Amino acid sequence: MNLKQNIVIVDYGVGNTNSVSNAIKYLGYNKLIISDSESVIKNADVLILPGVGAFEEAVNNLRARNLDLILNEQVLEKKKPILGICVGMQLMATLSEENGIHNGLNWIEGKVKKLQLPKEFAVPHVGWNDVTVNNVKPIFDRNADKSNFYFDHSYYYDCDPAYVSAYCDYHIKVTAAIQKDNIFGVQFHPEKSQTNGLKLFRDFFNSI
């Protein structure tokens, strides 16, 4: 376990950065900074991309701060590990259909689509759901299959199943986690998922 990793939570104005920071610090990782600085991001060993709210505002904020270009360099070229949370994961898609068509970072090809469900399934999808794990390594190592996590979203990431490391059953198979090389994302909020969320953060950092 390496508690000396330089962890940067990317600040682009729409993430629940303090909640994420508090959860990670609880695990003993104290070399943690919330920042949108290019030099700080370049010095990071690992990146966290949180997010709440609408995709359009999130991606516009990201681009207004040139963070799309900075992250493309660090993640795609330098292969720096990154974990996207909720909207932070959705930003990794090719595009989102939320309130129009908006281009994402296109790191893992796919579309962010509205949850179209029978009326007995509430949208937004808010609350605890069991997660079925397709790929235990590396971020679900400590969590058993069917562990539950806290969700809060109206849109989901539709992509090639090869990149779906976990899903939850909410009438349809809702993508709960994705991974491709050094890129990881979760639709749920690990920082709100109590012990299971802390286990996931620990697995992610231990994999680096």
Side-chain angles (χ1 to χ4, degrees), residues 47-124:
L47 300 168
I48 306 287
L49 186 65
V52 294
F55 186 100
E56 181 180 13
E57 180 185 9
V59 77
N60 286 346
N61 281 18
L62 206 67
R63 292 189 171 120
R65 302 180 189 208
N66 290 322
L67 287 166
D68 56 330
L69 302 179
I70 296 166
L71 291 174
N72 279 338
E73 178 191 49
Q74 294 301 303
V75 174
L76 299 182
E77 296 176 26
K78 304 294 185 182
K79 300 298 181 183
K80 192 163 288 183
I82 189 167
L83 175 67
I85 297 172
C86 197
V87 175
M89 179 185 89
Q90 293 181 0
L91 289 170
M92 298 171 174
T94 307
L95 59 85
S96 171
E97 298 177 351
E98 183 178 0
N99 300 321
I101 303 297
H102 308 284
N103 290 327
L105 294 168
N106 197 29
W107 291 349
I108 297 178
E109 186 177 352
K111 295 180 181 179
V112 177
K113 298 179 176 180
K114 176 81 171 179
L115 286 168
Q116 303 283 0
L117 303 172
K119 60 183 180 181
E120 60 265 30
F121 291 87
V123 178

